[in-house]
Amino acid sequence: MTKTTTDEAREERTAVDKAISVLTAFGNDAQLGLGVSELARRAGLSKSTTFRLLGMLERNGVLERAGTAYRLGRVIHELGAQASTPGQDRVRDLLTPFLADLYEATHMTVQLAMLSGSHVVYLNKLEGHQRLRTPSRIGARMPAYCTAVGKMLLAHNPRALEETLRGPRHAWTANTIVEESALREELWKVRQSGVAIDRGESLHTLACVAAPVIIPGGGPIAALSVSGDAASFAPGDFEGILRRVSYGASRAAAILRSANAA
């Protein structure tokens, strides 16, 4: 059988070339994730070759799998963590002591995040005694709609919410809220209650509750959260301490803002 030009081009590509093709094939969907078939189509590779490369990249922490989709993993996020902005650095430095207070009060996994477009960026994270498997990592980005910190921040940012609703929303688990009316209703509840809850929406084994750090007269500049195993985590057990720590963090942010304005 005569080889086609496409077949010959595929054979000439090295394993590194093919791996890079798979990584660049994610494009703007790097955080949302894509399935094997779509990645193979975009990369110009066979499905079997793409599946093999994805397995290799996953084993090395370059990618991670959520259900049938793949997204960027630990190694890429750790490299990207070095590229934080000055604004993110200031918020992280100001609020990390409060994150430490939250950890000391709960001994659970706690996180500090800011909004960046329709995603959240994790500025800091302290691991709890449970040693949870979580998709959040320092410097990593996650779609805001499927995380507690993200839902809290989206609930107070109409522009970011509309950007989220215009874009694709992947159902990472059976609990992920992707339908527009359901998501709008969820965010309305977040605004009313003052806390946001992730009920196994980014990872089916993970649950989380978040509260905002708010500047008076403005919206949240960040959010703090507590996470636990979805099978046993009761958000109500942590709402009180989370609200108190978030209030203290909000006061500190307000004082700093007033001092800078003076």
Side-chain angles (χ1 to χ4, degrees), residues 102-108 110 130 195-197 207-210 225-245:
L102 189 59
Y103 172 80
E104 285 299 324
T106 64
H107 288 165
M108 302 290 284
V110 296
Q130 286 185 326
V195 295
I197 299 173
C208 190
V209 58
S225 69
V226 180
S227 299
D229 187 286
S232 58
F233 187 77
D237 292 346
F238 303 98
E239 282 188 22
I241 184 60
L242 182 58
R243 289 179 189 273
R244 289 194 294 274
V245 173

Side-chain angles (χ1 to χ4, degrees), residues 54-74:
L54 289 170
M56 177 190 69
L57 293 168
E58 182 186 5
R59 287 192 298 275
N60 286 278
V62 177
L63 297 177
E64 63 183 16
R65 184 164 50 179
T68 59
Y70 291 82
R71 59 190 175 192
L72 297 186
R74 170 183 53 81

